[in-house]
Amino acid sequence: MDDVLNTEDTSSNSLKRVLNVRDLTLFGIAAIIGAGIFSTIGRASFEGGPAISLLFVFVAVACVFTAVCYAQFASMIPISGSAYTYAYVSLGEVIAWIIGWALILEYAVSNMVVAISWSGYFTTMLKGFGINWPDWLAIGYNTAHSAFEKVSQQGSAAFSPDSHIIKAAAIYKSAPEIFGIKCLINVPAGTIVTLISALTYIGIKESKQLNNFLVYLKLGIILLVILGGFFFIKPENWSPFAPNGLNGILGGVAAVFFSFIGFDSISTTAEECKNPQKDMPRAMLICLGICTILYVLIALTLTGMVSYKSLGVDDPLAYVFQKINMNFMAGIISIGSVIAITGAILVFQLAQPRIWMTMSRDGLLSPRFGHIHPKFKTPSYATVIAWLFVAIPAFFLDMQFVVDLTSVGTFFAFIVVCAGILILDKTGDSKKAKFKVPYISGKYVIPVSFIATMVLFFTKTDYMPILEGRPLLIVFGLVWLYLTIASFKFKYSLLPVIGILINLFLMTELGLSNWLMFIIWLVIGLIIYFLYGYRKSRLRYQSTSKSPEL
């Protein structure tokens, strides 16, 4: 661990330390409260009813098990790199590379989808002001062409296109042509990434100032929605509280959990924080608390204003105010959606280059990724690559297929961080932490809970159809069995083990195809590692006393 800490650059070529606990908290809020609070919360409420508010509390508590593990690492290792760095210290270089490769999914690849989503909200907002943005300049070629081909097969009984597919196909058909090629480009998506990337290139101070402004504005809009809706709440809409029972509530658990996964982005700014070992753990837990309260209040407001049965829409906040003839609030909400997603893009475009910068210092990426701009004090080369990596696909492609794949990568990173705490406890390094995961022995709790769960599962359920429909539960059971044996033998701390199990269980919700795609992604990453990173690794250089070829 000391070798890792010694890699932090304290020269004039280092990053600027300008962030305090408030700035870090607002970065976390920007990442967590994105489009979800304006869209997915409606469909979750439609499935679970008013009781979905309790699900947000449950998921927040579940996130805390992972967040406290992140917080301990942050208090021990005040270096940018997030889960990559934490895995590097606790589990070694190969696992760290796998996590770094997986984090590309969470930050860079997912930001392509977020940017495309931002474009949709932005053009909708413009329509509210009477500005009609050309449709062919707000959709990628791949999306429109794919929709056109599907609609062309409309005669097939096996296919019935949705309205958005029909619209995309019509856009493709009417789009202008140059040399016989349809001109289709998502200008807003690529432009917002370009503008945000330019800001992150210029400096962390400027990025902080914009983010703080956006978050305050976003929080103001959300509070306005809550206070405005309070006067239209009808308590009878909260009855029945859980109309579809526990299954209805848990049906939205994966979507709700995804709303909270942005808190780890705080740890990527460790070297720009004034007091990272103290402020980063506090910021992670504070932002989780604030976001949980806001999500619960929004859920109760929505389900109190209208019946949960009418919330199966993509824009629930605007919808409920339109129902009570307050259309001006719908306009305010559309602005809030654009602001919310802009903040998320900003945080993710900040995070990815700093992870690449840290990997470069360890020799796993080209030294260029570790270059710090002499004037702006930002990882300039990595920022430019992150811009190209996100902006170009956002201009032309439909990246929706990577959403669940991104979630698999995020959950995998969370599992590794929780496992890292168990390793540090075993080696005794946890004693160095200024913030430590509270130790509760899992020696007996984990085995008893495992045995009780297995008995209930195999005696009280029709388990064969369940396992046939969700074979990944077998993987979950085997990991739980291993942790049961290891906890009894090594007296593992309970909280990190719960974090591992929760994240792994949620991974099983994402389906086998996403796991297979994720495994393929990891195999590609390992090929790159052994072709480049292994040969130029700083650890290998230290062990052989030979200078790596750069």
Side-chain angles (χ1 to χ4, degrees):
M1 182 182 297
D2 293 336
D3 290 339
V4 174
L5 293 174
N6 289 336
T7 63
E8 182 180 359
D9 193 351
T10 57
S11 69
S12 59
N13 199 36
S14 62
L15 304 176
K16 288 183 179 179
R17 292 194 178 274
V18 299
L19 304 178
N20 55 32
V21 67
R22 181 195 63 177
D23 301 322
L24 294 170
T25 301
L26 294 178
F27 272 127
I29 292 174
I32 293 173
I33 300 183
I37 202 166
F38 295 94
S39 56
T40 56
I41 193 172
R43 295 197 178 277
S45 298
F46 175 76
E47 295 292 337
I52 202 70
S53 56
L54 298 181
L55 181 59
F56 279 106
V57 176
F58 166 76
V59 169
V61 172
C63 281
V64 166
F65 294 116
T66 303
V68 293
C69 295
Y70 266 91
Q72 176 172 323
F73 271 115
S75 73
M76 298 173 67
I77 312 168
I79 293 176
S80 300
S82 184
Y84 162 78
T85 300
Y86 306 155
Y88 193 92
V89 168
S90 58
L91 297 171
E93 182 179 272
V94 176
I95 300 298
W97 167 266
I98 291 174
I99 292 300
W101 186 249
L103 286 176
I104 294 176
L105 289 174
E106 178 179 354
Y107 290 115
V109 177
S110 68
N111 231 12
M112 302 172 193
V113 180
V114 174
I116 293 169
S117 176
W118 184 93
S119 175
Y121 282 102
F122 177 73
T123 54
T124 300
M125 182 188 72
L126 290 181
K127 286 181 181 178
F129 289 102
I131 302 172
N132 292 314
W133 184 271
D135 289 333
W136 59 278
L137 291 179
I139 190 170
Y141 180 90
N142 186 61
T143 305
H145 183 259
S146 176
F148 180 77
E149 289 189 334
K150 288 180 179 179
V151 172
S152 298
Q153 304 167 1
Q154 194 169 354
S156 171
F159 175 72
S160 178
D162 295 328
S163 58
H164 72 279
I165 294 179
I166 295 174
K167 180 180 177 180
I171 294 172
Y172 179 85
K173 188 175 181 180
S174 61
E177 297 183 10
I178 297 180
F179 302 116
I181 300 174
K182 293 287 185 178
C183 296
L184 294 154
I185 181 171
N186 199 331
V187 173
T191 300
I192 188 61
V193 174
T194 300
L195 294 175
I196 291 296
S197 298
L199 182 68
T200 60
Y201 185 95
I202 292 172
I204 186 65
K205 183 178 180 180
E206 292 76 11
S207 301
K208 174 195 75 172
Q209 291 170 343
L210 176 62
N211 181 72
N212 291 358
F213 171 75
L214 292 176
V215 171
Y216 285 136
L217 195 56
K218 173 168 55 180
L219 292 178
I221 291 172
I222 292 172
L223 291 175
L224 179 63
V225 169
I226 294 170
L227 294 175
F230 175 81
F231 296 100
F232 297 92
I233 288 176
K234 298 177 181 178
E236 57 265 27
N237 285 331
W238 289 332
S239 181
F241 194 68
N244 297 318
L246 187 61
N247 288 336
I249 299 172
L250 294 180
V253 66
V256 170
F257 193 92
F258 300 157
S259 301
F260 287 91
I261 63 176
F263 68 83
D264 63 325
S265 59
I266 295 174
S267 59
T268 65
T269 60
E271 293 175 41
E272 290 147 303
C273 178
K274 294 177 182 178
N275 189 357
Q277 292 174 308
K278 178 182 177 182
D279 289 347
M280 291 182 66
R282 292 170 58 194
M284 289 179 183
L285 299 177
I286 291 171
C287 79
L288 270 179
I290 292 173
C291 293
T292 302
I293 293 171
L294 292 175
Y295 274 126
V296 169
L297 291 177
I298 284 288
L300 289 174
T301 300
L302 286 177
T303 54
M305 292 177 68
V306 301
S307 169
Y308 73 93
K309 296 178 182 179
S310 62
L311 288 174
V313 295
D314 292 327
D315 54 347
L317 270 67
Y319 170 77
V320 296
F321 282 100
Q322 288 170 347
K323 287 265 294 186
I324 59 175
N325 297 319
M326 293 181 65
N327 292 323
F328 76 94
M329 283 294 293
I332 293 175
I333 290 166
S334 68
I335 296 173
S337 301
V338 172
I339 293 171
I341 305 177
T342 302
I345 294 173
L346 172 61
V347 174
F348 281 19
Q349 285 301 101
L350 274 172
Q352 182 65 83
R354 282 148 183 80
I355 294 173
W356 286 341
M357 174 191 72
T358 308
M359 296 174 73
S360 173
R361 290 175 181 168
D362 296 329
L364 304 185
L365 291 177
S366 166
R368 292 183 178 182
F369 283 91
H371 174 72
I372 305 300
H373 195 282
K375 178 181 178 181
F376 300 131
K377 304 299 181 184
T378 58
S380 51
Y381 180 82
T383 300
V384 171
I385 298 301
W387 163 60
L388 293 173
F389 197 85
V390 176
I392 293 177
F395 272 123
F396 301 105
L397 302 180
D398 175 11
M399 301 297 295
Q400 195 61 38
F401 72 93
V402 303
V403 172
D404 284 347
L405 179 61
T406 297
S407 301
V408 176
T410 302
F411 286 136
F412 185 69
F414 285 2
I415 289 170
V416 170
V417 170
C418 293
I421 295 297
L422 298 178
I423 300 297
L424 294 185
D425 286 347
K426 186 178 178 181
T427 60
D429 286 324
S430 287
K431 296 176 182 178
K432 303 175 184 178
K434 294 186 178 181
F435 175 93
K436 191 176 185 304
V437 175
Y439 178 79
I440 302 173
S441 177
K443 182 175 182 179
Y444 299 109
V445 176
I446 297 170
V448 169
S449 63
F450 174 77
I451 293 171
T453 301
M454 291 300 105
V455 170
L456 291 173
F457 181 73
F458 287 108
T459 61
K460 300 297 182 180
T461 69
D462 188 6
Y463 60 87
M464 284 305 297
I466 296 175
L467 292 178
E468 288 174 1
R470 296 176 58 191
L472 293 174
L473 285 175
I474 298 173
V475 177
F476 174 75
L478 291 175
V479 173
W480 196 352
L481 174 61
Y482 168 78
L483 290 173
T484 295
I485 298 170
S487 297
F488 188 81
K489 182 177 180 180
F490 300 114
K491 298 180 181 180
Y492 278 166
S493 177
L494 181 61
L495 301 189
V497 172
I498 293 176
I500 292 172
L501 293 176
I502 288 174
N503 287 297
L504 183 58
F505 178 78
L506 290 173
M507 283 182 72
T508 66
E509 294 282 327
L510 298 176
L512 184 61
S513 61
N514 291 302
W515 279 51
L516 292 176
M517 289 176 64
F518 182 64
I519 291 172
I520 293 172
W521 176 264
L522 293 186
V523 169
I524 295 171
L526 286 172
I527 291 173
I528 295 173
Y529 168 74
F530 284 110
L531 288 177
Y532 182 90
Y534 176 76
R535 294 188 299 109
K536 301 177 185 294
S537 159
R538 183 171 63 88
L539 285 181
R540 186 166 181 265
Y541 160 60
Q542 290 175 342
S543 64
T544 60
S545 299
K546 295 180 180 179
S547 176
E549 298 177 4
L550 300 179

